Amino acid sequence: MAHAKRVGPAIAAGLALTLTLAACGGGDNNGGGGTDPGAAGFKGGTLTIYHVNDVEHLDPVRNFVTDSNAIGKLLTRTLTEFKYDGKAKKTVLVPDLAKEWKSNDALDEWTFTLKDDLKYEDGTPVKAADIKYNVERGFSPDLSEGSPYPKEMVACQKGYAGPYTGGNNGGKGCEAITAPDDKTIVFKLQRPVAEFDMVASMKNFSPVPQAKDTKTQYDAHPLATGPYKIQTYTRKKELVLVRNDQWKQESDELRTARPDKFVFKFGGDESVVDQRLIANGVADQSSFSFSGIQPQNLPKTNSANVKDRVIEGEDICRRYIAFNQQKPLLKNQKLREALYYGLNRVEYQTARGGERLAAVVDSIVPETLDGYEADTVFQAPPTGDAAKATALLKEAGYKGEKLTLGTADSGLATKAAEAAQASWKKIGINVDIRKIPGDNYYSTQQNDASATDLITAGWCFDYPSIASVVAPVLGPDTTSATPKAAQNNYGRSLVAYDKFKANSLIKDKGEATKAWSALYKELMQTAPLVPTVKDLNVYVIGGNVDNAIPDPNTGGIPDLTQIGLKKAN
């Protein structure tokens, strides 16, 4: 996913895999009271969360960004889900709506059985057909922003375009998805997928009853199956969640649902929010901010009355700048290479808050994933190589034409874009910056007509495989009859598309990892993007916030499924 980042879980116990992720805290190292995830604690009160932007989508079929995913876990449940254990620093795959699942020996047919007595917020039962319907919604061009995996993996009939055209195939919908009864759903896949139980944690695999579907307006009030439902939602201002009395704790091993209410306040000045959280006034003792501490306020986190309320951790996501090869200038590989060598990633890191808030990376593949290899293609120093970049510009025949760099219109994102602009100016590349509202950023960059030349982006793997980095960021849209980049391939690279299909058919995980790692190296030789940094997250929480555990799988945002308050407010 993206930073926002495209969301993605870290690791699954269901495949006997484990991963240790860095997540350390100031003070007691567990954050806000030091209790373990899921431990008993006070239930009640109102938790307030500040966020500089509204989220892009809450409709589960369109929800594919870290911030909205964090909120979405409170509202909508999926077939499976990932649970982060802050004490063990591991993430495991757990049943969510499904109580069990199985595949055939060929791994191209998966059957999920739902738990008993699942209900929506209005008291109506959750049915397997509702999950089928929501997956089908994602095939509609009007709802295409979410996870691409169902379209790439499920063997729907050729030309299927979702439930809003052709009477949804005469009411049959995607014929590769069947719900033989209210508690069973079966997916027939285009190819073997050993990790499909992990894929089923994507929000596409949430239920939406057809009778309640409001198409593109479903964002305003998705029908809740989680412990909270929407009370009020004023776009760009405030979202209020209250308890869903139809949710049952005994059916849900992920969500502790400790607060009575969540209030999300959108659009505040990040530095002002910092000051309020640092001061820990009565009005903010039950609050924190999705944005984390701004660089200028970091020194204040060492104060005696603040340091015990500081939590820190890193995430699984990697930031980068993609070079949009649909743009005439960027079809020139020498110019793309000049951009790569010309970027001073240390200055970029400084703009994103310095060493405590960001670390320079040489790959969009996290070091924790099997298949990661240190860069041997460019081997550019973190400060860049101005001499090599200048020579490449000469080879490219660059004559000072302007390029446009797209960035979200807030805080560190803008500062980082300005640092990149300054780096490239030093070697003679003229770059303008286009600021795009953060709540519409990725949708804008996915649209060929509105995408910029240079695109700041981020990606979090969706399941613990190098394939879930390389394929979505650099691969093709496998549903297209003609060569076309995947929706999150912002560089619009069209290289080695035949190898993506070949790699996807490899059943042996070790061999598949080697193949994807080799393909990534081959693709990077064409300079489709430049990796920049990974985020290191620092949050100051209000003194009444309890069990705030940074979740690496949602961009380091404290895990809302485990968080609570120490006492009533």
Side-chain angles (χ1 to χ4, degrees):
M1 286 178 192
H3 253 250
K5 288 178 223 151
R6 293 292 167 189
V7 190
I11 205 70
L15 294 178
L17 300 170
T18 57
L19 176 67
T20 300
L21 292 157
C24 57
D28 59 23
N29 287 340
N30 264 321
T35 55
D36 295 336
F42 171 77
K43 285 203 171 189
T46 298
L47 179 65
T48 299
I49 299 172
Y50 297 99
H51 193 18
V52 66
N53 296 310
D54 195 354
V55 295
E56 286 198 49
H57 298 292
L58 290 178
D59 181 339
V61 86
R62 305 169 83 182
N63 186 341
F64 198 44
V65 178
T66 47
D67 53 357
S68 57
N69 184 65
I71 298 172
K73 284 185 177 182
L74 301 175
L75 291 169
T76 53
R77 299 173 65 179
T78 46
L79 285 171
T80 62
E81 188 52 274
F82 284 86
K83 180 177 181 178
Y84 182 61
D85 182 339
K87 185 176 181 180
K89 297 180 176 62
K90 294 180 181 179
T91 303
V92 295
L93 188 72
V94 298
D96 198 2
L97 292 174
K99 67 177 180 181
E100 58 189 15
W101 54 88
K102 62 183 179 180
S103 72
N104 62 1
D105 291 341
L107 299 174
D108 60 4
E109 183 173 308
W110 287 75
T111 302
F112 295 81
T113 304
L114 302 188
K115 296 174 180 175
D116 296 330
D117 203 26
L118 299 168
K119 293 181 180 179
Y120 295 103
E121 64 181 79
D122 63 0
T124 57
V126 172
K127 298 180 180 180
D130 301 341
I131 298 172
K132 168 181 163 68
Y133 181 72
N134 191 42
V135 175
E136 291 170 346
R137 293 173 75 237
F139 285 77
S140 169
D142 294 332
L143 304 175
S144 62
E145 301 93 339
S147 161
Y149 300 116
K151 287 183 286 187
E152 294 174 354
M153 295 178 177
V154 180
C156 296
Q157 58 272 24
K158 186 176 181 180
Y160 182 67
Y164 311 132
T165 60
N168 197 17
N169 185 30
K172 293 181 289 187
C174 170
E175 295 177 30
I177 309 173
T178 56
D181 56 57
D182 286 347
K183 292 181 60 180
T184 306
I185 186 165
V186 182
F187 298 90
K188 294 182 179 179
L189 309 182
Q190 301 173 28
R191 55 180 171 82
V193 181
E195 307 94 350
F196 194 73
D197 51 351
M198 293 189 274
V199 175
S201 71
M202 297 291 100
K203 290 291 185 286
N204 313 61
F205 298 91
S206 298
V208 171
Q210 184 173 356
K212 300 290 185 177
D213 183 14
T214 53
K215 300 181 182 179
T216 57
Q217 300 306 307
Y218 198 68
D219 265 334
H221 195 127
L223 205 61
T225 50
Y228 298 91
K229 62 184 178 181
I230 294 175
Q231 183 181 62
T232 59
Y233 188 12
T234 304
R235 292 290 303 193
K236 300 183 184 296
K237 291 185 178 180
E238 184 178 81
L239 169 67
V240 179
L241 307 184
V242 295
R243 290 195 183 278
N244 171 14
D245 62 6
Q246 298 299 315
W247 171 83
K248 294 184 178 181
Q249 177 72 77
E250 59 267 26
S251 76
D252 194 334
E253 64 182 271
L254 173 69
R255 301 162 184 85
T256 58
R258 288 177 55 187
D260 284 337
K261 181 185 291 189
F262 283 85
V263 177
F264 297 87
K265 294 183 177 293
F266 304 122
D269 183 288
E270 293 163 299
S271 60
V272 172
V273 171
D274 278 359
Q275 297 295 340
R276 293 180 60 172
L277 292 171
I278 289 168
N280 199 33
V282 174
D284 292 297
Q285 289 180 359
S286 301
S287 307
F288 76 94
S289 172
F290 270 0
S291 300
I293 286 291
Q294 299 304 293
Q296 65 270 26
N297 292 317
L298 279 173
K300 298 177 182 178
T301 63
N302 297 318
S303 301
N305 65 334
V306 179
K307 63 182 180 180
D308 288 340
R309 296 186 288 112
V310 174
I311 59 173
E312 300 189 44
E314 68 177 70
D315 59 42
I316 61 171
C317 312
R318 297 295 179 266
R319 294 187 183 274
Y320 60 94
I321 299 175
F323 309 140
N324 185 351
Q325 295 175 50
Q326 283 188 341
K327 305 294 185 178
L329 283 175
L330 291 168
K331 294 181 185 297
N332 186 328
Q333 180 168 332
K334 295 298 181 182
L335 177 56
R336 300 197 303 272
E337 291 179 5
L339 287 161
Y340 192 112
Y341 282 107
L343 181 65
N344 186 325
R345 287 176 286 168
V346 174
E347 292 179 353
Y348 196 92
Q349 172 194 33
T350 300
R352 289 210 61 90
E355 292 182 354
R356 195 172 171 195
L357 292 181
V360 172
V361 297
D362 66 352
S363 175
I364 62 169
V365 179
E367 309 90 286
T368 53
L369 271 187
D370 288 342
Y372 164 81
E373 293 182 3
D375 170 48
T376 58
V377 177
F378 293 99
Q379 298 181 302
T383 54
D385 188 332
K388 194 159 191 174
T390 301
L392 285 163
L393 281 181
K394 186 174 181 180
E395 289 184 57
Y398 177 71
K399 303 184 186 305
E401 299 95 332
K402 281 195 174 180
L403 296 169
T404 300
L405 171 63
T407 180
D409 64 347
S410 60
L412 299 183
T414 297
K415 291 177 182 178
E418 291 169 350
Q421 180 188 45
S423 285
W424 288 323
K425 184 177 181 180
K426 290 176 184 176
I427 61 169
I429 300 178
N430 295 316
V431 175
D432 286 339
I433 292 175
R434 178 185 168 198
K435 299 177 184 178
I436 300 169
D439 57 3
N440 196 40
Y441 180 74
Y442 283 103
S443 299
T444 300
Q445 297 290 26
Q446 288 170 0
N447 186 330
D448 290 345
S450 56
T452 56
D453 303 304
L454 309 170
I455 298 171
T456 56
W459 187 257
C460 318
F461 58 79
D462 291 307
Y463 49 90
S465 165
I466 187 175
S468 76
V469 177
V470 180
V473 176
L474 295 167
D477 177 354
T478 60
T479 68
S480 176
T482 57
K484 179 183 176 183
Q487 68 179 23
N488 300 297
N489 181 347
Y490 300 112
R492 276 75 173 177
S493 170
L494 298 174
V495 177
Y497 274 14
D498 57 327
K499 293 186 179 180
F500 283 88
K501 183 174 182 180
N503 284 3
S504 72
L505 296 174
I506 301 173
K507 289 185 179 182
D508 182 85
K509 291 194 180 94
E511 291 303 313
T513 296
K514 290 178 184 177
W516 286 109
S517 183
L519 179 56
Y520 175 71
K521 186 173 182 178
E522 177 182 343
L523 296 167
M524 286 304 297
Q525 289 171 351
T526 69
L529 54 82
V530 55
T532 55
V533 298
K534 64 179 178 181
D535 287 356
L536 308 175
N537 305 290
V538 180
Y539 299 92
V540 172
I541 60 175
N544 192 38
V545 177
D546 188 38
N547 208 46
I549 307 295
D551 183 355
N553 311 307
T554 50
I557 294 170
D559 186 353
L560 302 187
T561 68
Q562 307 295 323
I563 203 166
L565 299 177
K566 296 176 181 177
K567 60 183 180 180
N569 59 341

